[in-house]
Structure formats: C-alpha cells, structure tokens
C-alpha cells in the first residue's frame, strides 16, 4: 500500500492489516502505552472542505505517534489561487513525509499521488471517504468479532459514504444492501464493481435493504457542496429516514452507525440516534485509531 486514495484500491488483506493495527493502537492508547512510531515525521493536512473530526483526529493522531501535523487550508496555499496540483505535489513532497487532503474532486487526490513522491491519504472527496469507512468496519468488527457474513444496510444518499461502504463491505465478505432514490444512486464505477458480487443489492426500497440487517448506516441527505439542494433532497429522501418502523425490520440489537454530523429528524430520528449513540460515538472515536494505523503503515520506515 503506497497511498490511501479510495477503497477500490485496497485488497481485503490490506483492509485487515489496517484494522488489526488500529485495534493495537487503540489498546495501547487506552492503556497508556506510548507509540511514537512516526517520531520526526511530518504530515501536511490540506483542507478544501471544512471538517471537525478529520482535522482533530489527524492532528491528534500524528501527535500521539510522535510526529507533527501541519494544517494547510486552501486559503493558505497557492493551490487555492490556481497553482497546478502537480506543482504543489512536487514542492510539498520535498518538505513533508505524507499529505492528507480533504477536497471535492477525486482527480485532485489522484493527481497528488501521481506527481508527488510521498504517500497521499484521501481525507474525503465527493467520490470516496475511505478513512471513515475503515473506522466503520473497525467499529462493526469490535461488536461482532468478524465481518464475514454480516449484513450491512445503507439507507439514504448514494454519496461518497455509500460508494466506500459498498466496496469495503464486499471486500471484507459482508452482504451489502443499499437503498437510495433512483436519481441518487451510488457511482456507476462502484455499481459495476459490486454487481460482480451475489451478496450485493441495490434497491429503491429501504425496507427491502434493512430486512435482517446486522448494521444499519445512514448519512446526511445534503453533504458539503450540495447544500443548495437541501429542500429538494428533503422531499426525495423523506421515505429513507432511519426510524423505529424501519429498524423493526433489522435484526434484534442491530447496530446503527452515522458518520456525522447528524441532522436529527431528517435522515435519522432523535430516538434512534440516542438509542445508538454509544455505537455512533465509538465509530467517531475510531476515526482516530484507523487513521493512525494508515499513517503508520504508509509512513513508518
């Protein structure tokens, strides 16, 4: 593994390696065991989309690993004023040991990897959110012990989360069911990948997707960049709310996960959210541990 650009690039063995190391790092942190595996290393954090969890978890994680993280907003970089991505990649490669970028276009992440000479980590694009999905898989595995054979149901927008959950879940031997409105389907590249699996289902019916699910996952209906569509999306996604009646179709004691921020009484009810708050905030914490594992695997000598 040279980079973390999208879930499609990872093998099941590489995902397992990340999750195993994340478990180890989480154990060490909980027990006060120092793990300065990246002492003397530096990572640049490029943000063209704002963030709470991504910024704090990467900065804190790098600090705990003994290295330093530099926050680089689009306002502070020449890339935000028209400098070609390839030039930024080549310059930063001479200063840093890795780059994490949170941006809009997947191509920008791919270009950094092509022209740079250091590891590139996708902190989020409109197409993919691998760091979040690694944390999700970690959280599910913590509860069930294994991922293989579990049913994951995703309900809502066919966005970067849907794209990444489909790929990650299928690669780890899960059954994956996704329910979205027809006009908000996951990316065709992901559907082409998933259609080779008998364990995959895409449907417009959330009840069909959630039937006998071990874990139910949702996301905001209007992600960053599509806020202007918020009212239109509220109407389109109204039947896709994760609520008590939908959860009755899942297995008893099924997990509920949400990558946050959550808009209660839209994609998920206040009641369901609070009943599963421990799982959701464990999922949020696991961003820290999963990303630390990625950084160690990419950056350690």
């Amino acid at each position: 593994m040279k980079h973390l650009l999208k879930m499609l690039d990872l093998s099941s063995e590489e995902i397992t390696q990340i999750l195993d190391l994340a478990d180890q790092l989480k154990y060490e942190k909980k027990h006060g065991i120092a793990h300065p595996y990246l002492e003397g290393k530096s990572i640049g954090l490029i943000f063209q989309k704002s963030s709470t969890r991504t910024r704090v978890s990467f900065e804190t994680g790098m600090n705990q690993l003994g290295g330093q993280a530099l926050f680089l907003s689009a306002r502070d970089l020449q890339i935000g004023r028209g400098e070609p991505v390839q030039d930024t990649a080549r310059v930063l490669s001479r200063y840093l040991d890795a780059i994490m970028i949170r941006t809009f276009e997947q191509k920008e992440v791919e270009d950094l990897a092509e022209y740079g000479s250091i590891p590139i980590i996708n902190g989020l694009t409109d197409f993919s959110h691998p760091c979040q999905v690694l944390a999700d898989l970690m959280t599910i595995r913590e509860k069930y012990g294994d991922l293989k054979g579990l049913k994951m149901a995703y309900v809502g927008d066919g966005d970067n989360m849907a794209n990444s959950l489909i790929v990650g879940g299928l690669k780890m031997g899960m059954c994956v069911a996704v329910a979205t409105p027809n006009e908000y389907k996951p990316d065709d590249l992901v559907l082409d990948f998933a259609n080779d699996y008998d364990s995959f289902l895409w449907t417009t019916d959330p009840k069909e997707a959630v039937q006998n699910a071990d874990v139910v996952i949702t996301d905001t209906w209007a992600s960053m960049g599509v806020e202007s569509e918020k009212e239109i999306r509220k109407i389109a996604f109204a039947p896709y709310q994760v609520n008590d009646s939908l959860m009755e179709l899942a297995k008893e004691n099924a997990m509920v996960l949400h990558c946050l921020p959550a808009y209660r009484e839209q994609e998920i009810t206040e009641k369901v959210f609070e009943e599963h708050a421990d799982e959701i905030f464990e999922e949020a914490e696991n961003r820290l541990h999963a990303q630390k594992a990625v950084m160690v695997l990419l950056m350690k000598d």
Side-chain angles (χ1 to χ4, degrees):
M1 184 174 75
K2 293 176 60 178
H3 307 284
L4 178 61
L5 307 181
K6 56 187 180 296
M7 294 300 295
L8 283 165
D9 297 336
L10 295 177
S11 67
S12 57
E13 292 77 16
E14 287 171 328
I15 295 172
T16 300
Q17 183 184 25
I18 293 168
L19 299 184
D20 288 346
L21 180 54
D23 287 343
Q24 175 192 325
L25 294 171
K26 184 174 184 177
Y27 175 88
E28 291 175 357
K29 181 179 183 298
K30 297 291 186 186
H31 291 81
I33 302 170
H35 40 247
Y37 302 131
L38 298 182
E39 191 169 4
K41 302 283 188 179
S42 298
I43 186 170
L45 309 178
I46 299 176
F47 285 87
Q48 296 191 350
K49 282 188 175 184
S50 59
S51 168
T52 298
R53 280 154 291 279
T54 300
R55 178 177 178 180
V56 175
S57 57
F58 267 104
E59 288 192 4
T60 301
M62 192 58 177
N63 179 268
Q64 292 174 2
L65 291 168
Q68 66 168 339
L70 289 79
F71 173 75
L72 306 170
S73 76
R75 296 185 303 274
D76 303 324
L77 294 174
Q78 295 299 330
I79 195 173
R81 299 174 58 195
E83 181 176 63
V85 172
Q86 55 264 39
D87 291 357
T88 298
R90 286 181 283 199
V91 169
L92 293 182
S93 292
R94 293 169 181 256
Y95 301 150
L96 302 167
D97 299 290
I99 295 170
M100 187 288 302
I101 181 168
R102 182 178 171 94
T103 188
F104 294 88
E105 293 186 15
Q106 180 70 24
K107 186 178 184 300
E108 195 162 2
V109 178
E110 306 279 348
D111 285 350
L112 279 175
E114 179 180 353
Y115 291 101
S117 57
I118 56 177
I120 305 300
I121 300 171
N122 179 353
L124 175 142
T125 64
D126 291 344
F127 173 73
S128 187
H129 200 354
C131 290
Q132 179 64 58
V133 169
L134 289 168
D136 292 358
L137 295 174
M138 179 182 178
T139 310
I140 298 166
R141 197 174 74 157
E142 284 177 332
K143 175 171 179 173
Y144 292 107
D146 193 9
L147 295 171
K148 191 172 183 179
L150 295 177
K151 181 177 179 181
M152 173 199 297
Y154 175 87
V155 178
D157 186 15
D159 57 7
N160 48 15
M161 281 300 298
N163 292 335
S164 301
L165 284 165
I166 290 167
V167 176
L170 292 174
K171 287 191 174 188
M172 295 308 291
M174 302 179 78
C175 299
V176 179
V178 174
T180 73
N182 190 57
E183 61 271 32
Y184 296 101
K185 291 196 295 187
D187 191 274
D188 286 342
L189 182 65
V190 171
L191 291 177
D192 288 344
F193 163 84
N195 285 331
D196 289 335
Y197 289 80
D198 294 335
S199 54
F200 174 71
L201 168 71
W202 171 79
T203 177
T204 58
D205 183 356
K207 294 180 180 179
E208 183 182 13
V210 169
Q211 190 73 43
N212 293 318
D214 296 285
V215 54
V216 178
I217 305 179
T218 190
D219 188 13
T220 178
W221 293 339
S223 300
M224 280 181 286
V226 296
E227 291 93 344
S228 62
E229 302 174 15
K230 188 174 293 185
E231 295 308 314
I232 297 171
R233 285 170 170 261
K234 279 184 182 179
I235 297 169
F237 288 107
Y240 294 82
Q241 184 185 73
V242 176
N243 51 36
D244 280 346
S245 62
L246 193 64
M247 289 304 300
E248 286 175 2
L249 301 172
K251 287 183 181 175
E252 188 176 0
N253 298 320
M255 295 183 78
V256 173
L257 298 180
H258 192 306
C259 63
L260 302 176
Y263 296 89
R264 293 161 174 80
E265 305 306 328
Q266 292 188 33
E267 71 270 11
I268 188 169
T269 61
E270 175 85 21
K271 182 174 182 291
V272 172
F273 184 94
E274 290 301 331
E275 286 174 350
H276 295 271
D278 287 347
E279 296 165 348
I280 291 168
F281 289 106
E282 194 72 20
E283 170 193 16
E285 178 188 329
N286 284 341
R287 286 287 302 276
L288 172 68
H289 310 300
Q291 290 163 184
K292 284 166 68 175
V294 169
M295 289 191 286
V296 170
L297 289 170
L298 290 177
M299 299 171 66
K300 189 178 179 184
D301 293 329

